[in-house]
Amino acid sequence: MKTNFDIINAYNKPKAEVFLSEIEGKNPLFIATIATTETGKIPGLSAAGQNPDFTDFTPPADAELLLLGKCKSIQGVPITPEGIPTPGLVTMSALNLADIPVIIANAGCKVKPQIPFIELGGNSGRDIRSGNSVDNVEEVIERAKTAGQQFAKTSDYLVIGESIPGGTTTALGLLSALGINAEGKVSSTLPLNPHNLKIDVVRAGLKAAGEKFGSLNNNPIKAISCVGDPMMPALAGLAIGAANQVPVLLAGGTQMTAVLAIINALNPDVLCNVAIGTTRWVINDTTSDIRGIISQFCKVPILAADLNFSESILSGLQIYETGLVKEGVGAGGAAIAAMAKMGGAVNKELILKAIERNYAVLMSTK
């Protein structure tokens, strides 16, 4: 691994270095998997949107930002209630710097994006407290596998991110159903991680489904159906389909541990070709433990983009350093892919300048 890469080897360092050497100088394809869930509207769970109902528009707006450089579903860019811009701005800026192509995969959005996208056949998710949160799980996985196989033929490796508000809570639900201890370990877009609320929501969902911790450890399909979200089967299927042929970088934070757990349950043989790509804010987060979740069931390496916004000219970006947002829309993985492709010519300073420039343009046309 070249020392001029601003990339941290955060878990299983030997394998992380091998993975990075495999993708260095290569041409990736970035896939953004978007979906919505009523779980994201539970007050106090998510900062993805100015109010809970706005979360229906966040994933399509993120997708439009990646493809068009602007949003059509909303004005400006998706922001938190505090006015902090979406991590999709980080993703867009990094991908543009390295000229990395983007595909949008709709896993189940209530509001469809106003751009071209592939349809994987999922529906928007229900509140997991119902114990019946996701439809068509097997069908979506199979469709996504087929798509992943085809996308793998078009590029050297895949980077697959997500945008789904409330996704860390559904991740806790899925992991709990599979018997993986993630209480107090999943991340949050909020600086004060609402662990107790998430635990209460998940336990209510498991109870409503007639299940308990670990009772679905041999049935990942039912686990997703009961207490998961529609992003999970789509992203897991894409990764399984592609990883038989090319490396796959799962771009995200603790939500990706749920995707890994699904892959591990369905097709563990492909995990040798998979890594997680996230941000420094996730691996340094004292309110979550991505390593502690993964280490319970596999040794998939974690890479983290060493992004730092403390010197930004924009207060909305500086606030990332306080623990708000941390990750999303594949921001960390996109930054890693951009740096790896450009051989260090793209670094964290260049990415920050591009983000500031793009943000200024977006705000001026709001």
Side-chain angles (χ1 to χ4, degrees):
M1 184 186 72
K2 286 189 169 67
T3 55
N4 59 351
F5 283 4
D6 292 320
I7 299 172
I8 302 164
N9 287 358
Y11 180 69
N12 194 347
K13 292 185 179 182
K15 186 66 170 66
E17 290 192 14
V18 170
F19 189 92
L20 196 54
S21 69
E22 287 176 350
I23 68 171
E24 185 179 344
K26 300 291 179 62
N27 292 306
L29 172 66
F30 184 89
I31 303 174
T33 311
I34 59 172
T36 47
T37 167
E38 294 300 300
T39 308
K41 296 180 183 179
I42 298 172
L45 274 188
S46 176
Q50 289 173 294
N51 61 61
D53 286 335
F54 192 80
T55 60
D56 285 341
F57 293 90
T58 301
D62 280 332
E64 291 159 0
L65 185 62
L66 296 187
L67 252 63
L68 303 176
K70 62 181 179 181
C71 302
K72 298 184 80 171
S73 294
I74 63 167
Q75 286 191 319
V77 296
I79 59 173
T80 70
E82 293 80 13
I84 301 163
T86 171
L89 188 63
V90 179
T91 309
M92 178 194 81
S93 302
L95 296 175
N96 286 350
L97 280 173
D99 196 25
I100 294 170
V102 178
I103 297 286
I104 306 301
N106 179 31
C109 279
K110 188 161 281 189
V111 177
K112 300 291 192 289
Q114 299 177 43
I115 47 169
F117 59 88
I118 68 159
E119 179 60 72
L120 295 176
N123 299 325
S124 181
R126 291 177 289 276
D127 187 326
I128 64 169
R129 292 175 297 188
S130 68
N132 177 26
S133 56
V134 186
D135 298 326
N136 307 336
V137 172
E138 278 191 281
E139 181 185 347
V140 170
I141 289 174
E142 290 307 313
R143 287 188 181 193
K145 280 184 190 175
T146 301
Q149 289 165 355
Q150 297 305 311
F151 288 139
K153 297 175 183 178
T154 70
S155 53
D156 295 323
Y157 68 102
L158 298 192
V159 184
I160 316 177
E162 55 69 36
S163 177
I164 179 166
T168 56
T169 303
T170 50
L172 175 61
L174 184 283
L175 292 163
S176 299
L178 295 182
I180 297 161
N181 178 18
E183 290 189 354
K185 293 183 171 69
V186 294
S187 186
S188 173
T189 48
L190 301 161
L192 294 174
N193 198 329
H195 283 304
N196 290 337
L197 175 58
K198 293 180 182 184
I199 290 167
D200 288 346
V201 167
V202 166
R203 289 180 178 175
L206 287 171
K207 184 177 180 181
E211 302 294 342
K212 59 185 179 180
F213 180 86
S215 65
L216 294 173
N217 65 330
N218 290 318
N219 195 342
I221 303 296
K222 188 174 180 184
I224 299 168
S225 301
C226 292
V227 288
D229 66 52
M231 175 276 294
M232 295 172 179
L235 210 153
L238 286 166
I240 291 169
N244 276 315
Q245 305 168 66
V246 297
V248 173
L249 185 64
L250 299 179
T254 53
Q255 285 162 283
M256 290 302 164
T257 65
V259 174
L260 268 186
I262 295 164
I263 298 170
N264 184 60
L266 293 176
N267 193 340
D269 291 346
V270 302
L271 290 179
C272 63
N273 221 8
V274 174
I276 282 184
T278 191
T279 65
R280 175 180 64 88
W281 304 301
V282 169
I283 61 165
N284 289 348
D285 178 24
T286 57
T287 75
S288 68
D289 185 7
I290 190 170
R291 300 177 188 87
I293 298 172
I294 292 175
S295 63
Q296 294 177 58
F297 61 91
C298 72
K299 296 294 182 185
V300 165
I302 304 173
L303 299 165
D306 191 18
L307 300 173
N308 189 323
F309 292 170
S310 60
E311 300 297 317
S312 175
I313 58 175
L314 299 171
S315 59
L317 292 178
Q318 290 175 14
I319 298 174
Y320 270 70
E321 297 299 328
T322 69
L324 265 157
V325 184
K326 303 180 188 74
E327 171 65 278
V329 203
I336 290 166
M339 290 187 275
K341 178 182 175 181
M342 303 306 289
V346 170
N347 58 24
K348 62 183 178 182
E349 287 83 11
L350 202 64
I351 291 172
L352 176 57
K353 285 185 169 57
I355 295 164
E356 291 170 337
R357 190 166 58 246
N358 291 330
Y359 186 62
V361 170
L362 284 161
M363 290 299 99
S364 68
T365 58
K366 185 175 176 180

